[in-house]
Amino acid sequence: MVLACVGLGANLGDAQATLRAAINVLAVLPQTRLLAASRLYRTPAWGNEAQPDFINAAVALETDLPAPVLLEQLLATEQQFGRVRQEGQQWGPRTLDLDLLLYGEQVIDLPQLQVPHPYLHQRAFALLPLAEVAADACIPGHGTVRDALVGMKTCDITPIGG
């Protein structure tokens, strides 16, 4: 089994309810076990800032699914929650975004899948929830999740609830 870490985000509709429901879906993926889920966080939009704040979270999964198959499951889950991916629309609003952030300590560079996620080490909104579920996980080429957070601005990322 491999430790896989997934980042969740949404900023359309009831984003909090969507993320909670998506975590429940991830918990029952085939050949996969949910190890931990982070709290939800409110985060200002990144990249394209002219949109609603995002709600973000992360989960740690233990899986026997190969990374490309896990990605297929994540994309199917996004569609289940109304996500329509549009060519050329990067950093736009979305009903649900699921990113495979880490897959063990593997480096995967395929046209449809890059692991670790290429911007993970630069994104506090992904690292902060990830640190709750896998602080000691290795981001190949960048140290641990905890190390990547050192010195990063996180004051604009607000936890929601407990």
Side-chain angles (χ1 to χ4, degrees):
M1 305 251 336
V2 174
L3 173 68
C5 296
V6 176
L8 299 88
N11 71 340
L12 295 177
D14 187 345
Q16 291 183 44
T18 297
L19 263 58
R20 288 185 180 105
I23 290 168
N24 290 334
V25 171
L26 297 177
V28 296
L29 290 178
Q31 298 175 260
T32 301
R33 184 168 66 98
L34 177 68
L35 298 176
S38 73
R39 292 178 287 177
L40 303 181
Y41 289 85
R42 181 174 307 283
T43 307
W46 190 90
N48 173 8
E49 297 173 8
Q51 60 181 317
D53 288 351
F54 275 82
I55 305 300
N56 292 103
V59 297
L61 305 170
E62 195 172 58
T63 188
D64 276 332
L65 296 175
V69 175
L70 179 56
L71 176 64
E72 288 174 13
Q73 294 287 323
L74 298 179
L75 295 175
T77 302
E78 286 182 351
Q79 289 179 341
Q80 179 182 335
F81 285 89
R83 172 81 186 265
V84 177
R85 289 183 174 264
Q86 296 178 358
E87 198 68 32
Q89 184 185 35
Q90 192 173 21
W91 304 316
R94 53 205 60 188
T95 56
L96 179 62
D97 185 36
L98 298 174
D99 288 323
L100 183 54
L101 303 174
L102 298 171
Y103 188 81
E105 293 188 18
Q106 291 186 33
V107 175
I108 302 168
D109 191 9
L110 301 170
Q112 73 279 12
L113 176 61
Q114 292 180 305
V115 177
H117 189 281
Y119 304 110
L120 175 59
H121 65 284
Q122 300 171 344
R123 294 180 170 174
F125 69 83
L127 289 168
L128 196 58
L130 184 56
E132 281 190 36
V133 299
D136 294 322
C138 177
I139 304 171
H142 300 283
T144 65
V145 171
R146 179 178 291 123
D147 293 340
L149 261 173
V150 172
M152 195 168 282
K153 180 184 170 209
T154 61
C155 61
D156 59 349
I157 302 171
T158 310
I160 298 171

